[in-house]
Amino acid sequence: MKEESQLKYSNKVFIIPFLFVFVIWFIYWIEIKFGFNFNKFGVLPRKLTGLKGVLSSPFIHSDTNHLFNNSVPLFVLSTCLFYFYEEVTLKVLVYGGLVTGFLTWIIARESYHIGASGIVYLLFSFIFFSGIIKKHYRLVAVSLITIFLYGSMIWYVLPIKEGMSWEGHLSGFITGFILAIFYRCKGITKKKFEFSKTEFDDMFDENGNYIPPIVEEELEIKELNYKYIYKENE
């Protein structure tokens, strides 16, 4: 019953991920429509002014292709997060997003790092490792589906493509793994099977030795009734 209540569907499962994707598209539309360049709001490593990008960089994208490549997995993975990990969803998004951005600020090259790909890798890593760690059959299934759909993403945590923020990808991936361990006992977990104790189990001690049953003998004392017959005098 507890598991069914945790997996109960609500409109926010789709509405919030949709709004997130809508906002990043809307910001990109404003940038194109009015000729703005929001790249300066990205993460600029090891510069105090670059820390603002920890909050703003996920909403900024360089081009339509960059935006589209992030939008689809962002919607799919965040929907999975809201449905299967509702108890820790906001913590993963808020804490995970901040740690991902800050870690990018520490390790990345000196350039503006923009895009929601760090959040995508955060979600991908968290959902995949959470299912494996918790060993719950439904969550493991989600992990396998995730790795099937987006398993190729793992290569982009390495510097194999010019102009791509692999540092942001790596930061999100590491953060998701850490949060999966940290929240391993939250939400749906694998239930330990417990055997019900029967009378047969009581016939053995904790070491498996047979304990003969104690039979109490009931002593029945029969009531003796004596009847006297008086012989008539002859």
Side-chain angles (χ1 to χ4, degrees), residues 10-231:
S10 63
N11 292 331
K12 67 180 180 181
V13 171
F14 289 104
I15 292 177
I16 297 179
F18 174 79
L19 289 176
F20 191 13
V21 173
F22 175 80
V23 168
I24 63 177
W25 275 92
F26 182 71
I27 291 175
Y28 181 72
W29 176 81
I30 292 177
E31 190 175 8
I32 298 301
K33 178 70 174 179
F34 299 99
F36 296 139
N37 187 347
F38 293 152
N39 287 357
K40 60 182 179 180
F41 293 101
V43 175
L44 185 60
R46 294 169 298 280
K47 304 290 184 182
L48 289 178
T49 56
L51 281 173
K52 63 180 178 293
V54 172
L55 297 175
S56 58
S57 62
F59 300 95
I60 304 167
H61 293 79
S62 58
D63 52 42
T64 306
N65 187 49
H66 183 205
L67 182 57
F68 181 79
N69 288 338
N70 283 338
S71 297
V72 176
L74 180 63
F75 178 79
V76 174
L77 294 173
S78 57
T79 298
C80 290
L81 182 70
F82 271 92
Y83 184 71
F84 292 100
Y85 299 94
E86 181 182 6
E87 186 176 342
V88 297
T89 295
L90 293 180
K91 295 177 182 178
V92 171
L93 288 174
V94 175
Y95 299 152
L98 292 175
V99 173
T100 297
F102 186 69
L103 189 57
T104 303
W105 183 81
I106 294 175
I107 68 172
R109 295 159 292 172
E110 189 172 347
S111 177
Y112 285 107
H113 295 258
I114 59 175
S117 54
I119 304 298
V120 171
Y121 275 81
L122 163 70
L123 298 177
F124 167 76
S125 177
F126 177 81
I127 293 172
F128 173 73
F129 287 113
S130 287
I132 301 302
I133 292 172
K134 291 187 175 184
K135 297 180 181 179
H136 186 279
Y137 71 99
R138 288 185 177 179
L139 301 184
V140 171
V142 175
S143 297
L144 295 178
I145 293 173
T146 301
I147 199 68
F148 175 77
L149 293 175
Y150 302 111
S152 60
M153 290 170 47
I154 191 67
W155 297 110
Y156 295 103
V157 300
L158 302 173
I160 60 176
K161 186 175 181 180
E162 187 68 24
M164 179 177 288
S165 178
W166 64 270
E167 299 96 332
H169 299 170
L170 180 61
S171 298
F173 188 82
I174 294 173
T175 303
F177 174 68
I178 294 174
L179 291 178
I181 297 175
F182 188 78
Y183 292 122
R184 65 187 181 278
C185 298
K186 296 289 186 180
I188 302 173
T189 55
K190 183 180 179 181
K191 295 182 179 179
K192 293 182 179 179
F193 184 80
E194 296 181 359
F195 291 95
S196 57
K197 196 172 184 179
T198 63
E199 294 181 359
F200 179 78
D201 298 318
D202 294 330
M203 299 173 64
F204 299 89
D205 61 16
E206 58 183 7
N207 297 319
N209 299 317
Y210 175 70
I211 304 175
I214 300 175
V215 179
E216 297 181 358
E217 296 182 357
E218 297 182 357
L219 299 178
E220 296 183 359
I221 301 177
K222 295 183 178 181
E223 183 179 354
L224 299 177
N225 297 321
Y226 296 93
K227 185 177 183 182
Y228 296 92
I229 301 175
Y230 296 94
K231 187 176 181 181

